[in-house]
Amino acid sequence: MKKLVVAAVAAILMSGTAYADTIKVGVIGPFSGPFALQGKNFKAGIDAYMALNGNTVGDDTVEVVYRDVPQADPAQSKALAQELVVKEGVQYLAGFYFTPDAMAVTPLLKQANVPMVVMNAATSAIVTKSPLVVRTSFTTWQTSTPLAKVALDKGIKKMISVVSDYGPGIDAENAFKTGFEGLGGTVVETIRMPLATNDFSPIMQRIKDSGAEGVFAFLPSGPTTLGFVKAYNENGLKAAGTPLYGPGDFTQESDLPALGDMALGMQTGFHYSVAHDSPENKVFVEAARKAIGNPAELSFPAVGAYDGMYVIYKMIEATGGEQDAAKAVEAVKGLSWTSPRGPVSIYAESRHITQNIYLREVAKADDGTYYNKEIQTFENQKDPGLAAAK
Ligand code: PHB
């Protein structure tokens, strides 16, 4: 009998999948406060992925644990990541809407033996802070660079740049300026606003005074972008024919009902439109709308989260559920698949997602709803900000 038990235990151990485990994924994001809708979109993307692909990988069950950081707050993000690793025993960390929240956690990854899958934060440098970071969202270098040519092709020679004064804003400014001046245009003034700015009238006045023919701008998506586009309209800049170009954070679908005609005709560069026409996106939108409840609330953080889960499932598969962060990350380098946004891959050198960037224009559908209509595709874009970030 004893011999039999020993033999059985040995057989189980040698099979390498001795126990069916629960593998926990800790997701940090804004789930309350002014940016709660962005966090809700993380959850909708994750729920959609798990509804379509199940909650098991091999013998293991995947469980997602959420933690709330309402606004950019690196200290709170770090404390919650520590708690997730030590008390909850998560094998993966994911989410991270704001850059500072992602940056604060990268120093923990090696010792914790935990990969981080960034589902939104868009500053190029994040991936350089730890070899255990993989990103499935975008960078503002990726989304801003094509806009330089778009503005010049419209005959605009003088632009002003206005950005939130932190990582993704500074990257966006550098990307646009590099592109625009490289092609012969001039950025006449660069304005960096504190992240907490919510009165944009003085900025609109500075734009008018600058003599620029157009505006390039970036703010993190949420009440921030909504307020900026409203101020741009209310201060007469749109009516005066001074175009506003920026990444698609400005026209996220969940803000379009509130912006209405204020957003109509606005051109943005981005990796994802809910209106993207593909079979993969149809499947995603249906599942994610079901998950979020109110279909009008679906927005881009959901696709970063959905693809983030795809990557995490591949990592779990490659490690057989064992906790081996380096092996997990190695396994997804070079991975390519068809995302709801289009064809994507994880570029091995940066561990950041290579993808199409689309020029989109806000249009009005026959039923009166507004959407981001893709009008041009910049194919297969790596992160142009990687070199500067290193
Ligand atoms: C960021 O903090 O990196 C960030 C947040 C919201 C965005 C884009 C970038 O819409």
Side-chain angles (χ1 to χ4, degrees), residues 15 45 54 95 151 172 177 190 202 231 313 350 355 378:
S15 76
K177 199 167 157 38
T190 54
Y313 272 42
S350 62
Q355 59 194 330
F378 300 87

Side-chain angles (χ1 to χ4, degrees), residues 272-327:
Y272 179 64
S273 163
V274 173
H276 181 69
D277 187 14
S278 74
E280 291 80 12
N281 193 42
K282 270 203 186 69
V283 171
F284 165 72
V285 168
E286 194 188 325
R289 283 196 165 146
K290 208 162 152 190
I292 207 162
N294 175 0
E297 287 184 349
L298 186 63
S299 176
F300 67 92
V303 87
Y306 183 82
D307 287 327
M309 287 310 283
Y310 177 87
V311 165
I312 289 171
Y313 272 42
K314 288 287 177 200
M315 288 172 161
I316 295 171
E317 207 177 283
T319 51
E322 297 300 317
Q323 186 159 1
D324 186 337
K327 187 173 175 186

Side-chain angles (χ1 to χ4, degrees), residues 97-100 120-123 126 138 140 166 168 218-221 249 300:
Y97 188 68
F98 291 106
T99 287
N120 188 68
T123 304
I126 297 171
F138 58 98
T140 50
Y166 80 123
F218 166 82
L219 291 88
S221 214
D249 313 68
F300 67 92

Side-chain angles (χ1 to χ4, degrees), residues 1-9:
M1 183 64 196
K2 201 173 168 192
K3 253 190 192 159
L4 259 180
V5 172
V6 170
V9 168

Side-chain angles (χ1 to χ4, degrees), residues 49-354:
Y49 189 84
M50 295 177 81
L52 292 168
N53 297 281
N55 67 341
T56 57
V57 182
D59 289 340
D60 300 313
T61 302
V62 180
E63 186 191 330
V64 182
V65 191
Y66 292 91
R67 290 293 180 273
D68 182 22
V69 181
Q71 313 219 20
D73 185 344
Q76 194 186 0
S77 179
K78 187 172 183 183
L80 288 172
Q82 259 156 346
E83 184 257 335
L84 282 167
V85 167
V86 175
K87 293 218 185 97
E88 283 287 341
V90 300
Q91 282 192 37
Y92 295 88
L93 283 166
F96 303 100
Y97 188 68
F98 291 106
T99 287
D101 299 343
M103 287 286 198
V105 172
T106 56
L108 306 178
L109 303 176
K110 187 162 188 269
Q111 206 200 332
N113 189 22
V114 166
M116 174 199 257
V117 178
V118 176
M119 295 171 165
N120 188 68
T123 304
S124 290
I126 297 171
V127 295
T128 68
K129 301 299 173 191
S130 163
L132 298 178
V133 178
V134 178
R135 177 163 44 197
T136 56
S137 50
F138 58 98
T139 66
T140 50
W141 267 94
Q142 273 181 321
T143 55
S144 303
T145 298
L147 295 170
K149 188 167 176 334
V150 170
L152 271 167
D153 285 350
K154 286 269 155 56
I156 299 172
K157 300 261 166 28
K158 288 194 287 180
M159 289 284 287
I160 182 167
S161 165
V162 183
V163 300
S164 296
D165 189 9
Y166 80 123
I170 294 163
D171 276 9
E173 177 194 291
N174 286 331
F176 186 79
K177 199 167 157 38
T178 304
F180 196 66
E181 299 198 329
L183 292 167
T186 308
V187 174
V188 294
E189 193 177 338
T190 54
I191 301 177
R192 296 181 180 179
M193 308 170 284
L195 192 50
T197 306
N198 54 27
D199 176 10
F200 299 109
S201 294
I203 303 284
M204 297 303 151
Q205 190 55 49
R206 282 180 69 183
I207 295 172
K208 285 183 193 164
D209 294 345
S210 73
E213 298 155 343
V215 189
F216 168 79
F218 166 82
L219 291 88
S221 214
T224 28
T225 40
L226 195 64
F228 192 89
V229 177
K230 279 188 176 163
Y232 164 77
N233 276 268
E234 285 161 4
N235 287 269
L237 280 152
K238 187 179 182 189
T242 310
L244 169 60
Y245 292 101
D249 313 68
F250 270 124
T251 60
Q252 65 166 340
E253 284 76 4
S254 51
D255 286 339
L256 292 180
L259 287 171
D261 279 352
M262 285 194 268
L264 198 60
M266 191 171 160
Q267 293 193 343
T268 58
F270 221 30
H271 60 302
Y272 179 64
S273 163
V274 173
H276 181 69
D277 187 14
S278 74
E280 291 80 12
N281 193 42
K282 270 203 186 69
V283 171
F284 165 72
V285 168
E286 194 188 325
R289 283 196 165 146
K290 208 162 152 190
I292 207 162
N294 175 0
E297 287 184 349
L298 186 63
S299 176
F300 67 92
V303 87
Y306 183 82
D307 287 327
M309 287 310 283
Y310 177 87
V311 165
I312 289 171
Y313 272 42
K314 288 287 177 200
M315 288 172 161
I316 295 171
E317 207 177 283
T319 51
E322 297 300 317
Q323 186 159 1
D324 186 337
K327 187 173 175 186
V329 170
E330 209 49 48
V332 299
K333 288 182 182 173
L335 188 66
S336 65
W337 70 102
T338 307
S339 155
R341 69 188 90 172
V344 298
S345 57
I346 300 296
Y347 184 50
E349 194 195 325
S350 62
R351 291 156 275 106
H352 174 74
I353 194 159
T354 300

